[in-house]
Amino acid sequence: MSDAAELSCKEAARLMSKRQDVALTNDEQENLKNHLYQCLSCRRFEQQLGFLRQLAQRYSKGGAATENEPT
Amino acid sequence: MADKKNINPPDRMAALFAEVESHRGYLVRFATAKLRDGDQAEEVVQEALLAALDGVGSFSGQSSLRTWLTSILKFKIIDFQRRVIAERAHFSQAPDEDDSADPEWMDRLFDDTGHWGQRLAEWSNPDDALQQKQFFEVFERCMDKLPKAAGRVFFQREVMGIETDEICKEEGISASNCWVMLHRARLALRECLDRNWFQGVKS
């Protein structure tokens, strides 16, 4: 427990963003997990980041309409 | 006497024109992310749309129209880049003017202790937003507000799905700089969508 760094939200947000692009180190993962466990805002940020990615991918396929792909 | 029932094909053509045209905004953003120049992007998109209308018979409808148009655009971009390189052996890129515009901007989202300045609200019905045309318009406006370089990097990473390594190489920036830009873009977009969409959606 002594070597686990307490992350601030700012650092946690940076790691979550970085995780969208590359794998985190074990320490980073552990610290982030501990932070998310106790921080509601950061858990929301995590969800919203995921949504942002989903949104961008949907956008690349045509946006709301996504034509020619009947639902 | 000419059969008046023949007015149908031109109508279909007009509808198709309109539909193809509705993707122009997306395609210009796509081309801008690649070419870094809005005017050049417009020019290439124009070429691509003309080619698309010319060859619309080969559109199978198996992918979405946007995906098909994008594939044509990609070829046109490569063509264009070859032409430019051939024209000027020295293809020096203009340095990016803007990314230093507001470096403290990101810090204002967090207080002195590194906590969120404001607690993040949950986004209600995000799946519902994905069905709405207006939501994508808000998304486009939010992307347009990003600093140019950050917008380009975000578009390449998230919309085009290119790996960070490749983007950094093309942009000529370090990996850590690339992440900083992406992170800022994501924070800014989150804010923008939050303010311009989700805070208005209650239910």
Side-chain angles (χ1 to χ4, degrees):
Chain A
M1 193 65 201
S2 56
D3 55 347
E6 284 275 325
L7 294 183
S8 67
C9 296
K10 189 176 173 179
E11 290 160 336
R14 189 182 61 78
L15 288 182
M16 284 186 268
S17 189
K18 187 177 167 192
R19 191 173 57 182
Q20 301 266 76
D21 307 308
V22 284
L24 299 181
T25 66
N26 289 339
D27 279 352
E28 285 173 331
Q29 278 179 42
E30 189 64 21
N31 292 339
L32 180 59
K33 206 174 87 188
N34 290 336
H35 181 88
L36 286 175
Y37 183 69
Q38 52 186 343
C39 181
L40 178 61
S41 279
C42 282
R43 288 202 297 276
R44 286 182 174 153
F45 183 70
E46 185 183 28
Q47 280 176 350
Q48 292 169 4
L49 266 188
F51 175 75
L52 203 55
R53 173 153 288 180
Q54 205 189 338
L55 166 62
Q57 282 165 5
R58 184 71 175 255
Y59 176 63
S60 75
K61 296 195 180 73
T66 356
E67 318 84 340
N68 301 310
E69 286 169 342
T71 44
Chain B
M1 280 305 257
D3 191 350
K4 292 261 165 143
K5 274 175 192 153
N6 270 340
I7 52 171
N8 205 16
D11 272 4
R12 275 203 50 189
M13 223 31 214
L16 194 67
F17 259 66
E19 212 186 323
V20 165
E21 193 57 39
S22 73
H23 294 282
R24 185 186 288 269
Y26 169 82
L27 296 170
V28 169
R29 287 177 175 83
F30 189 101
T32 307
K34 271 288 183 199
L35 296 171
R36 309 175 180 205
D37 180 302
D39 291 341
Q40 291 179 355
E42 302 260 1
E43 198 181 319
V44 175
V45 167
Q46 184 61 24
E47 281 180 25
L49 289 181
L50 287 174
L53 288 169
D54 233 21
V56 79
S58 70
F59 174 55
S60 64
Q62 287 199 331
S63 56
S64 75
L65 183 60
R66 178 167 291 185
T67 306
W68 183 68
L69 291 172
T70 307
S71 64
I72 296 174
L73 179 62
K74 282 180 187 163
F75 282 113
K76 290 290 171 189
I77 289 173
I78 293 170
D79 261 11
F80 185 87
Q81 285 171 326
R82 285 198 188 123
R83 252 165 25 223
V84 169
I85 291 167
E87 275 166 26
R88 313 179 240 162
H90 266 322
F91 180 47
S92 65
Q93 274 149 356
D96 256 310
E97 349 59 51
D98 54 22
D99 210 50
S100 57
D102 188 4
E104 274 130 57
W105 169 98
M106 198 166 77
D107 296 328
R108 289 202 302 272
L109 287 177
F110 300 94
D111 65 20
D112 293 342
T113 60
H115 286 91
W116 295 97
Q118 251 185 334
R119 178 181 277 239
L120 269 64
E122 189 172 10
W123 285 354
S124 55
N125 297 327
D127 290 340
D128 191 50
L130 291 178
Q131 310 293 328
Q132 298 191 47
K133 214 173 139 212
Q134 295 96 311
F135 178 63
F136 284 88
E137 288 165 9
V138 170
F139 178 52
E140 285 189 331
R141 286 209 303 278
C142 288
M143 281 196 293
D144 291 346
K145 278 198 263 178
L146 294 173
K148 270 193 207 142
R152 224 166 41 221
V153 171
F154 177 84
F155 198 98
Q156 293 185 70
R157 178 73 190 106
E158 298 291 351
V159 182
M160 294 156 86
I162 302 175
E163 290 300 324
T164 330
D165 292 351
E166 198 181 322
I167 302 171
C168 304
K169 212 164 61 187
E170 266 195 48
E171 292 280 329
I173 54 180
S174 68
S176 61
N177 200 346
C178 218
W179 289 324
V180 171
M181 276 161 88
L182 277 168
H183 182 40
R184 282 195 191 162
R186 288 171 180 140
L187 282 170
L189 286 171
R190 195 213 73 82
E191 279 286 302
C192 186
L193 292 175
D194 190 65
R195 201 168 330 123
N196 294 294
W197 186 271
F198 288 104
Q199 280 183 16
V201 180
K202 302 264 149 54
S203 70

